[in-house]
Amino acid sequence: MIKFFRKFRQREEGSVAIEGLFGGLLVLGWFVIAFQFYEAFRMRSQALRASYTIADMVSRERDSIGPNYVSGLKQIFDFISFAPNENYTWLRLSIITCGATTSDLRACDGTNKQFTLEKSYTAASGVAIHTQSSINAEADRIPMMAAGDTAVVLETSYTFFPIFSIGDKALKLDGQNWTRQGLSSRIRMSNFVVTRPRGPRTVWNDTK
């Protein structure tokens, strides 16, 4: 047996069929991974486009909006983003203003002068609405607003589950992860869109 393995080790001829099999498996594996990454970025782009579409709809709204209106926006977002069901997404809408008085006409930048939260509503269970402190914590994501101005902050989230089991793969060294490859098995794609009304100020009405 030892002699056989020695001779086998020294042999230099190969088999095209075996090499083709291994090469085909490598190409197939590369194709699966490439497709999965492409699909993730495609869904990311789709969720982003859906978010801007919803934000644009709100900015053109001339009537007051309310809980039913926001719930309808959530359904439109799910439809545009091709969400498998409503549990894959959530949507939060907040109306903010920059207070103006006769003695204070400064612009709001979230630091020297903070934004005023008029209303925050979420169209999904388990997602908290914004508070005055939490909306100002997002000041670096909100453009500077002129005194007396109004804006709508639309936040959306789409949960993407990779088709193939290539996520959460890690190599360990001394019992600790030192590198990770592939996609996470659950990816949250979040968007934060701030839009000024194109017409009248956006007004909240609890009966709408």
Side-chain angles (χ1 to χ4, degrees):
M1 184 65 71
I2 296 176
K3 227 168 143 188
F4 169 79
F5 280 113
R6 277 183 187 164
K7 288 176 69 177
F8 179 78
R9 186 185 61 183
Q10 294 171 357
R11 292 170 60 183
E12 296 182 354
E13 68 270 21
S15 172
V16 174
I18 298 300
E19 291 177 359
L21 176 63
F22 281 109
L25 290 175
L26 289 174
V27 172
L28 180 62
W30 174 86
F31 176 79
V32 168
I33 294 174
F35 174 80
Q36 185 62 91
F37 274 91
Y38 166 81
E39 183 69 8
F41 279 103
R42 186 183 72 83
M43 293 306 301
R44 177 74 180 90
S45 176
Q46 198 159 273
L48 179 62
R49 288 196 298 268
S51 299
Y52 275 100
T53 299
I54 298 300
D56 186 65
M57 289 176 58
V58 178
S59 71
R60 297 174 187 273
E61 185 60 57
R62 294 184 173 272
D63 297 328
S64 58
I65 64 175
N68 294 331
Y69 182 87
V70 178
S71 297
L73 292 179
K74 168 71 162 52
Q75 294 178 13
I76 296 174
F77 178 78
D78 291 346
F79 177 78
I80 298 176
S81 62
F82 295 101
N85 61 64
E86 62 180 10
N87 297 322
Y88 276 62
T89 64
W90 60 259
L91 181 148
R92 179 168 55 199
L93 186 144
S94 305
I95 302 174
I96 59 174
T97 60
C98 180
T101 63
T102 54
S103 60
D104 189 356
L105 295 176
R106 295 175 300 156
C108 294
D109 58 3
T111 303
N112 298 316
K113 185 180 179 182
Q114 296 189 333
F115 311 102
T116 301
L117 178 67
E118 296 291 332
K119 184 65 178 181
S120 182
Y121 185 83
T122 177
S125 60
V127 179
I129 61 174
H130 269 302
T131 62
Q132 185 63 59
S133 58
S134 66
I135 197 67
N136 280 293
E138 304 287 353
D140 59 334
R141 306 173 72 180
I142 302 175
M144 185 180 294
M145 295 172 58
D149 206 357
T150 302
V152 173
V153 178
L154 178 76
E155 298 168 85
T156 62
S157 176
Y158 183 100
T159 304
F160 175 72
F161 294 91
I163 301 172
F164 307 106
S165 297
I166 63 171
D168 295 332
K169 307 297 182 184
L171 297 178
K172 293 188 176 183
L173 184 64
D174 294 333
Q176 301 206 359
N177 295 342
W178 63 278
T179 184
R180 187 173 292 277
Q181 59 186 357
L183 298 172
S184 172
S185 58
R186 182 175 182 271
I187 304 173
R188 179 185 168 195
M189 301 174 175
S190 302
N191 294 297
F192 189 97
V193 184
V194 182
T195 312
R196 293 182 68 251
R198 296 175 183 266
R201 293 180 59 176
T202 304
V203 179
W204 184 265
N205 186 336
D206 286 326
T207 63
K208 291 295 187 74

